[in-house]
Amino acid sequence: MQWVEAGLWGLAGGFIAEGLDLYSVVRAKGTWPWRVPAPDAETPVPGPGAYLIVETIRLLIGGLLAGAAAASGQVSGPLAAVAIGIATPLVVVKLAESAFPSAGIPATAITTNAPSAASSGHSQPAVQPAEPTPLAGQAVEGEVTR
């Protein structure tokens, strides 16, 4: 697969993710994300222009990541390129964490779909920290063992 083709598939993956997020906000709130009032009066609500710019940048990053992965031989098919486009925020966080471990970039520093999340009053991190689970036979804090 050529990097340009993979980039277009990555762009399509980003469009899928962003389209589903836009759909969920419109369905839940009954209006466009930029028309949903901010949870507090001090936070400005981004307008449609800001929303369009941010979404375009996110889509382009997804396309570029998928194209770069294909150019380096990491992607051989459309499904993988689409997956990279969908997972762009997570991929960027993981690359930043591995490239700059001392920077202390928390996985929750980058959120998906920031304009719609901010204007809809909820924010979901790209990566949710996993709860540690005990191994078989290990005691759980507060649990009585015999």
Side-chain angles (χ1 to χ4, degrees), residues 3 12 21 23 28 37 41 44-45 59 70-72 80 84 90 97 103 105 109 111 114-117 119 126 128 146:
W3 70 269
D21 182 61
Y23 168 79
V45 177
L59 294 175
S72 66
I84 289 174
L90 177 62
E97 285 176 347
I105 300 171
T111 59
S116 59
S119 61
Q128 301 233 353
R146 295 179 187 189

Side-chain angles (χ1 to χ4, degrees), residues 91-114:
V91 172
V92 170
V93 167
K94 290 300 178 184
L95 287 173
E97 285 176 347
S98 64
F100 306 104
S102 62
I105 300 171
T108 56
I110 298 177
T111 59
T112 61
N113 313 319

Side-chain angles (χ1 to χ4, degrees), residues 10 19 22 26 30 44 54 57 65 75 97 104 108 116-117 128 131-132 139 145:
L22 179 64
V26 170
V54 170
I57 290 170
L65 281 175
V75 172
E97 285 176 347
T108 56
S116 59
Q128 301 233 353
E131 293 283 331
T145 57

